[in-house]
Amino acid sequence: MGSTSPMPKVLKLGNIDHAQAAWTALGEVAELVEPAATDRADFIQECKDGKLDGVVAIYRTIGSLAQTGLVDEELLKALPSSLRYIAHCGAGYDQIDVHACSARNPPVRVSNVPTAVDDATADVNMFLILGALRNFNTGMNALRKGQWRGLPAPPLGHDPQGKVLGILGMGGIGRNLKKKAEVFGMKVIYHNRRKLSDELSGGAQYVSFDELLSTSDVVSLNLPLNKNTRHIIGKAEFAKMKDGVVVVNTARGAVMDEAALVDALNRGKVFSAGLDVFENEPYIHPGLLKNQNVILVPHMGTWTSETMLAMEEWAIDNIRMALEVGKLKSPVPEQVDL
Ligand SMILES: O=CC(=O)O
């Protein structure tokens, strides 16, 4: 009689809120398990006690940070030696130390969710650009206080038509934003680690980092957070920008020095800002809360049922492909050659 090999174990960290059908279907090829722990200390203990032994792949959400903390060296040391893949359900994977994952023997391969997030995030990005250019926050807040446009009324805003939009980070979201901004009449320039082909950039002009800072009417941050990009925009960079520049961020709060932004806003160097992300979420710098020229969105870039479903399905697809063909569908760029 032939023996049947046990199904690989897949650990779920965080919730599946939309793609239950895909998750259930994954259960036909894998044993789906969840930790009992609800905080990092207990989770590490659970791993050390061998309760998660045999786990080959992890599905994780951004919210699972509360359950396990960062996927750093300490956590990787505790995670079962059987672990080969982590499928992150998000575009930004700054919660995962990819370098430490690559250094494990054998390596832990990591995937994120590109593409599926692009439209929804670029939509919020465009909303923030328009909202910040028009300084809608002031009037909208005044209206809720029964003061119509406010006392005094806010200064007149600015039209996007003819303004230079500088996109810092021309990945999927940056490229999607470029198309949307052009519909509003903006002229798009960009800076990126590498200049893109004309086909990918859609003809947007590639400029140096400093040129982007000094010539943009609106600076949009669309780059991932990592050790090279933390506080890439700070005091010195604001000094290089045009007076009255508009700054928007849908990437990660820590790519910008928030205190320096508050200072630049208070001095009027920055006319207005549109932020979907913050340095220490959910904490918001009081200087941002106080400043009426800032439009604040509590990290809702992908907060739509269609996009959340697509993201969860994409992350689950990564696990399915890893189990079935031994390769992730969308490995993170740092590991494409691993
Ligand atoms: O912030 C959201 C994401 O990284 O997907």
Side-chain angles (χ1 to χ4, degrees), residues 267-280:
R267 288 186 290 110
K269 173 76 187 179
V270 172
F271 170 72
S272 60
L275 307 174
D276 181 47
V277 287
F278 305 90
E279 222 178 315
N280 297 300

PDB file of all heavy atoms in Angstrom, residues 267-280:
ATOM      1  N   ARG A 267       6.048  77.473   8.149  1.00  0.00           N
ATOM      2  CA  ARG A 267       6.755  78.624   7.580  1.00  0.00           C
ATOM      3  C   ARG A 267       6.144  79.074   6.255  1.00  0.00           C
ATOM      4  O   ARG A 267       6.559  80.065   5.676  1.00  0.00           O
ATOM      5  CB  ARG A 267       8.239  78.269   7.355  1.00  0.00           C
ATOM      6  CG  ARG A 267       9.042  78.173   8.658  1.00  0.00           C
ATOM      7  CD  ARG A 267      10.525  77.962   8.396  1.00  0.00           C
ATOM      8  NE  ARG A 267      10.824  76.647   7.868  1.00  0.00           N
ATOM      9  CZ  ARG A 267      11.223  76.388   6.623  1.00  0.00           C
ATOM     10  NH1 ARG A 267      11.360  77.357   5.751  1.00  0.00           N
ATOM     11  NH2 ARG A 267      11.469  75.158   6.230  1.00  0.00           N
ATOM     12  N   GLY A 268       5.190  78.266   5.722  1.00  0.00           N
ATOM     13  CA  GLY A 268       4.581  78.615   4.437  1.00  0.00           C
ATOM     14  C   GLY A 268       5.431  78.175   3.256  1.00  0.00           C
ATOM     15  O   GLY A 268       5.095  78.428   2.100  1.00  0.00           O
ATOM     16  N   LYS A 269       6.565  77.536   3.543  1.00  0.00           N
ATOM     17  CA  LYS A 269       7.408  77.001   2.455  1.00  0.00           C
ATOM     18  C   LYS A 269       6.588  75.972   1.658  1.00  0.00           C
ATOM     19  O   LYS A 269       6.581  75.957   0.434  1.00  0.00           O
ATOM     20  CB  LYS A 269       8.652  76.331   3.078  1.00  0.00           C
ATOM     21  CG  LYS A 269       9.530  75.599   2.089  1.00  0.00           C
ATOM     22  CD  LYS A 269      10.343  76.587   1.286  1.00  0.00           C
ATOM     23  CE  LYS A 269      11.101  75.906   0.161  1.00  0.00           C
ATOM     24  NZ  LYS A 269      11.877  76.842  -0.628  1.00  0.00           N
ATOM     25  N   VAL A 270       5.890  75.126   2.406  1.00  0.00           N
ATOM     26  CA  VAL A 270       4.945  74.186   1.784  1.00  0.00           C
ATOM     27  C   VAL A 270       3.562  74.816   1.904  1.00  0.00           C
ATOM     28  O   VAL A 270       3.123  75.155   3.008  1.00  0.00           O
ATOM     29  CB  VAL A 270       5.005  72.810   2.497  1.00  0.00           C
ATOM     30  CG1 VAL A 270       3.908  71.886   1.991  1.00  0.00           C
ATOM     31  CG2 VAL A 270       6.379  72.162   2.279  1.00  0.00           C
ATOM     32  N   PHE A 271       2.886  74.960   0.773  1.00  0.00           N
ATOM     33  CA  PHE A 271       1.549  75.576   0.757  1.00  0.00           C
ATOM     34  C   PHE A 271       0.537  74.666   1.445  1.00  0.00           C
ATOM     35  O   PHE A 271      -0.242  75.079   2.299  1.00  0.00           O
ATOM     36  CB  PHE A 271       1.140  75.841  -0.702  1.00  0.00           C
ATOM     37  CG  PHE A 271      -0.300  76.263  -0.903  1.00  0.00           C
ATOM     38  CD1 PHE A 271      -0.720  77.529  -0.506  1.00  0.00           C
ATOM     39  CD2 PHE A 271      -1.216  75.404  -1.501  1.00  0.00           C
ATOM     40  CE1 PHE A 271      -2.043  77.925  -0.697  1.00  0.00           C
ATOM     41  CE2 PHE A 271      -2.540  75.792  -1.699  1.00  0.00           C
ATOM     42  CZ  PHE A 271      -2.950  77.057  -1.293  1.00  0.00           C
ATOM     43  N   SER A 272       0.577  73.393   1.077  1.00  0.00           N
ATOM     44  CA  SER A 272      -0.363  72.431   1.655  1.00  0.00           C
ATOM     45  C   SER A 272       0.177  71.027   1.419  1.00  0.00           C
ATOM     46  O   SER A 272       1.061  70.816   0.585  1.00  0.00           O
ATOM     47  CB  SER A 272      -1.751  72.581   1.020  1.00  0.00           C
ATOM     48  OG  SER A 272      -1.660  72.346  -0.372  1.00  0.00           O
ATOM     49  N   ALA A 273      -0.387  70.084   2.168  1.00  0.00           N
ATOM     50  CA  ALA A 273       0.066  68.696   2.023  1.00  0.00           C
ATOM     51  C   ALA A 273      -1.135  67.772   2.047  1.00  0.00           C
ATOM     52  O   ALA A 273      -2.174  68.092   2.638  1.00  0.00           O
ATOM     53  CB  ALA A 273       1.034  68.336   3.154  1.00  0.00           C
ATOM     54  N   GLY A 274      -0.985  66.619   1.391  1.00  0.00           N
ATOM     55  CA  GLY A 274      -2.012  65.581   1.401  1.00  0.00           C
ATOM     56  C   GLY A 274      -1.357  64.283   1.824  1.00  0.00           C
ATOM     57  O   GLY A 274      -0.434  63.807   1.167  1.00  0.00           O
ATOM     58  N   LEU A 275      -1.808  63.739   2.944  1.00  0.00           N
ATOM     59  CA  LEU A 275      -1.124  62.566   3.499  1.00  0.00           C
ATOM     60  C   LEU A 275      -2.088  61.405   3.744  1.00  0.00           C
ATOM     61  O   LEU A 275      -3.136  61.576   4.368  1.00  0.00           O
ATOM     62  CB  LEU A 275      -0.453  62.935   4.829  1.00  0.00           C
ATOM     63  CG  LEU A 275       0.476  64.152   4.814  1.00  0.00           C
ATOM     64  CD1 LEU A 275       0.949  64.466   6.232  1.00  0.00           C
ATOM     65  CD2 LEU A 275       1.671  63.904   3.895  1.00  0.00           C
ATOM     66  N   ASP A 276      -1.699  60.238   3.267  1.00  0.00           N
ATOM     67  CA  ASP A 276      -2.456  59.009   3.550  1.00  0.00           C
ATOM     68  C   ASP A 276      -1.681  58.124   4.519  1.00  0.00           C
ATOM     69  O   ASP A 276      -2.193  57.126   5.007  1.00  0.00           O
ATOM     70  CB  ASP A 276      -2.715  58.254   2.239  1.00  0.00           C
ATOM     71  CG  ASP A 276      -3.518  56.984   2.441  1.00  0.00           C
ATOM     72  OD1 ASP A 276      -4.548  57.040   3.150  1.00  0.00           O
ATOM     73  OD2 ASP A 276      -3.125  55.923   1.914  1.00  0.00           O
ATOM     74  N   VAL A 277      -0.415  58.482   4.756  1.00  0.00           N
ATOM     75  CA  VAL A 277       0.469  57.638   5.569  1.00  0.00           C
ATOM     76  C   VAL A 277       1.275  58.523   6.520  1.00  0.00           C
ATOM     77  O   VAL A 277       1.541  59.691   6.216  1.00  0.00           O
ATOM     78  CB  VAL A 277       1.425  56.823   4.666  1.00  0.00           C
ATOM     79  CG1 VAL A 277       0.697  55.693   3.960  1.00  0.00           C
ATOM     80  CG2 VAL A 277       2.112  57.720   3.648  1.00  0.00           C
ATOM     81  N   PHE A 278       1.676  57.939   7.643  1.00  0.00           N
ATOM     82  CA  PHE A 278       2.288  58.715   8.719  1.00  0.00           C
ATOM     83  C   PHE A 278       3.454  57.943   9.307  1.00  0.00           C
ATOM     84  O   PHE A 278       3.494  56.716   9.235  1.00  0.00           O
ATOM     85  CB  PHE A 278       1.211  59.036   9.773  1.00  0.00           C
ATOM     86  CG  PHE A 278       0.030  59.715   9.145  1.00  0.00           C
ATOM     87  CD1 PHE A 278      -1.039  58.974   8.650  1.00  0.00           C
ATOM     88  CD2 PHE A 278       0.030  61.087   8.960  1.00  0.00           C
ATOM     89  CE1 PHE A 278      -2.096  59.592   7.990  1.00  0.00           C
ATOM     90  CE2 PHE A 278      -1.022  61.720   8.315  1.00  0.00           C
ATOM     91  CZ  PHE A 278      -2.085  60.971   7.830  1.00  0.00           C
ATOM     92  N   GLU A 279       4.353  58.712   9.931  1.00  0.00           N
ATOM     93  CA  GLU A 279       5.593  58.093  10.384  1.00  0.00           C
ATOM     94  C   GLU A 279       5.372  57.025  11.445  1.00  0.00           C
ATOM     95  O   GLU A 279       6.028  55.990  11.427  1.00  0.00           O
ATOM     96  CB  GLU A 279       6.524  59.191  10.918  1.00  0.00           C
ATOM     97  CG  GLU A 279       7.923  58.963  10.459  1.00  0.00           C
ATOM     98  CD  GLU A 279       8.903  60.048  10.901  1.00  0.00           C
ATOM     99  OE1 GLU A 279       8.587  61.239  10.793  1.00  0.00           O
ATOM    100  OE2 GLU A 279       9.981  59.656  11.347  1.00  0.00           O
ATOM    101  N   ASN A 280       4.458  57.267  12.370  1.00  0.00           N
ATOM    102  CA  ASN A 280       4.239  56.305  13.464  1.00  0.00           C
ATOM    103  C   ASN A 280       2.756  55.981  13.604  1.00  0.00           C
ATOM    104  O   ASN A 280       2.157  56.243  14.633  1.00  0.00           O
ATOM    105  CB  ASN A 280       4.770  56.873  14.787  1.00  0.00           C
ATOM    106  CG  ASN A 280       6.263  57.087  14.734  1.00  0.00           C
ATOM    107  OD1 ASN A 280       7.023  56.141  14.536  1.00  0.00           O
ATOM    108  ND2 ASN A 280       6.688  58.332  14.871  1.00  0.00           N
TER     109      ASN A 280
END
